Amino acid sequence: MSKLSPSDKAYVPFVSVDNMMKLIHSIGIEQMLTGLADYIEEDFKRWELFDKTPRVASHSAEGVIELMPTSDGEVYGFKYVNGHPMNTREGLQTVTAFGLLADVASGYPVLLSEMTILTALRTAATSALVARYLAPKSAHTMAMIGNGAQSEFQSLAMRAIVGITTVRLFDIDRAATQKTAKNLAGLGLDVVECTSAEAAIEGAQIITTCTADKQYATILTDNMIGAGVHINAIGGDCPGKTELAPAILKRADIFVEFPPQTRIEGEIQQMPEDHPVTELWQVMTGAATGRTSATQITLFDSVGFATEDFSALRYVRDKIQYTEFFQDLDMLADPDDPRDLFGMVRRAAPQ
Ligand code: NAD
């Protein structure tokens, strides 16, 4: 990205929720999931370039508010995101987000975007990208446990990127399962509504857990996990918020985004600090192996990392070029003389 010239009026393109939905429909949701996965993979492959830090979390009894910054040296990005499992009872989202990209050379923002929908897309794209490396090659069925806001995105990404044909749904709230089944109707997946987690995992090669509950939950017990499955554990992403019985973690080969963050937030917070994990970027660059046998249990201990949001924002920035799916935001003061900020304010006084 080149430095802005002083004569440029510094508007910042802003992608609203409405425009994000228009962008998705203009591209096609599965195409967008595939495109996002490509950008996310590209950035995992240049992992060592990035500034990396565990996200900055502010915890409360109800949930968490987090900032997720990173930079590749040319572009800087961050996401603001919350996680409030009780919100849905009040008619609010569990997760809402927005994010920003900036030009490292000038420090000026170059994109501001809604990221509630984009987070669902990028999380699903990441899950499916990782499953493409780790799930059994012949995987055709996924159990989807937790049928909230993320669930359709997760299902469609696994169809588009991994090629699953069947999704088996379970949620403790039957209405959530019915909602997901209805939303997925006609989108190319066989959808089976199940009445227990045990029923949902029958015949599944991929098991996704995507529940929201601020506790050490046990969505999957050890006896439920047979040889050879791939577990995509999305919902445990905060201290004190996990989904898997520790015994599963002892049997599985565990793959993570950024260990310093996952050890705080992921399923592995239940294990000793030196419990072995493999970093995904190493699998993607070929420096480490992924699945090595048909009987191995692979586990993606997903918490969501800043580079995935950076990749998603990069994708959106590229895709909105020459479209109408953004508004120019006047959020940067730009006096003709950079040192005359006060003069600019004074000249704007009502006559
Ligand atoms: P949501 O509140 O919309 O849905 C969660 C669903 O889980 C609800 O339908 C609820 O009934 C169900 N549930 C709760 N306990 C359950 C149980 N014991 N068994 C089965 N179902 C159960 O939330 P969401 O936006 O879909 O997010 C789901 C989880 O994923 C959250 O915990 C969120 O923090 C996490 N998340 C992780 C990432 C990541 O990158 N890893 C990204 C986004 C969201």
Side-chain angles (χ1 to χ4, degrees):
M1 195 184 304
S2 62
K3 199 162 173 129
L4 290 167
S5 91
S7 59
D8 290 339
K9 166 70 188 159
Y11 286 116
V12 179
F14 167 61
V15 182
S16 64
V17 171
D18 189 47
N19 274 325
M20 184 61 75
M21 294 194 286
K22 287 181 176 147
L23 182 68
I24 293 169
H25 287 298
S26 82
I27 295 172
I29 188 156
E30 289 200 3
Q31 287 84 345
M32 186 153 171
L33 286 161
T34 308
L36 283 166
D38 290 344
Y39 273 56
I40 292 166
E41 184 175 31
E42 202 175 290
D43 287 339
F44 267 116
K45 285 185 172 169
R46 50 191 200 113
W47 183 253
E48 282 158 305
L49 269 179
F50 283 92
D51 272 351
K52 294 175 287 289
T53 179
R55 59 187 155 196
V56 183
S58 174
H59 296 282
S60 63
E62 295 78 23
V64 63
I65 294 177
E66 297 164 327
L67 288 178
M68 303 171 69
T70 191
S71 166
D72 69 357
E74 285 189 23
V75 181
Y76 169 91
F78 78 83
K79 179 169 84 171
Y80 166 102
V81 64
N82 78 307
H84 283 64
M86 311 280 268
N87 266 6
T88 49
R89 291 181 204 170
E90 315 283 327
L92 302 173
Q93 294 291 120
T94 296
V95 175
T96 58
F98 68 87
L100 180 138
L101 286 183
D103 175 23
V104 168
S106 65
Y108 272 34
V110 294
L111 177 72
L112 179 67
S113 178
E114 88 77 39
M115 289 195 79
T116 303
I117 302 170
L118 192 58
T119 293
L121 290 164
R122 79 83 156 115
T123 305
T126 305
S127 288
L129 168 66
V130 171
R132 204 177 65 202
Y133 280 96
L134 299 180
K137 287 285 164 263
S138 58
H140 52 75
T141 299
M142 175 170 84
M144 181 75 233
I145 301 174
N147 302 153
Q150 312 298 319
S151 61
E152 298 90 344
F153 298 91
Q154 288 284 326
S155 304
L156 284 180
M158 288 291 181
R159 184 188 119 85
I161 295 163
V162 180
I164 65 158
T165 54
T166 302
V167 62
R168 297 174 64 82
L169 306 175
F170 171 67
D171 194 293
I172 43 170
D173 180 353
R174 181 125 194 270
T177 302
Q178 288 169 339
K179 175 267 320 177
T180 301
K182 190 168 162 226
N183 281 340
L184 288 175
L187 295 181
L189 280 169
D190 288 330
V191 180
V192 184
E193 295 180 44
C194 303
T195 51
S196 67
E198 287 79 0
I201 63 172
E202 265 174 42
Q205 299 81 32
I206 301 174
I207 301 173
T208 293
T209 54
C210 193
T211 65
D213 203 354
K214 211 172 174 195
Q215 60 159 323
Y216 294 105
T218 309
I219 307 301
L220 298 177
T221 53
D222 191 29
N223 62 330
M224 290 166 75
I225 303 304
V229 298
H230 173 65
I231 305 170
N232 174 42
I234 302 295
D237 59 356
C238 194
K241 178 165 169 268
T242 58
E243 295 181 303
L244 307 184
I248 298 173
L249 307 180
K250 292 186 186 144
R251 287 165 64 209
D253 286 311
I254 303 175
F255 296 82
V256 303
E257 292 143 317
F258 180 54
Q261 183 177 310
T262 313
R263 290 197 190 276
I264 299 168
E265 302 179 351
E267 295 301 324
I268 54 166
Q269 66 184 275
Q270 305 181 82
M271 305 307 283
E273 266 180 30
D274 57 353
H275 191 80
V277 296
T278 305
E279 296 188 46
L280 286 168
W281 72 273
Q282 293 189 312
V283 177
M284 293 187 199
T285 56
T289 48
R291 175 169 286 276
T292 48
S293 87
T295 54
Q296 185 185 15
I297 298 165
T298 49
L299 164 62
F300 173 27
D301 187 358
S302 162
V303 291
F305 188 60
T307 58
E308 294 149 31
D309 299 306
F310 178 95
S311 315
L313 288 168
R314 215 164 54 72
Y315 176 88
V316 167
R317 186 168 184 237
D318 287 350
K319 294 298 166 190
I320 60 169
Q321 306 271 339
Y322 315 112
T323 75
E324 294 173 343
F325 305 140
F326 66 93
Q327 294 149 258
D328 279 328
L329 277 195
D330 181 16
M331 62 179 271
L332 292 168
D334 61 342
D336 294 338
D337 172 355
R339 287 173 300 183
D340 193 20
L341 188 63
F342 185 83
M344 185 183 78
V345 174
R346 200 166 169 196
R347 284 189 294 280
Q351 295 304 308

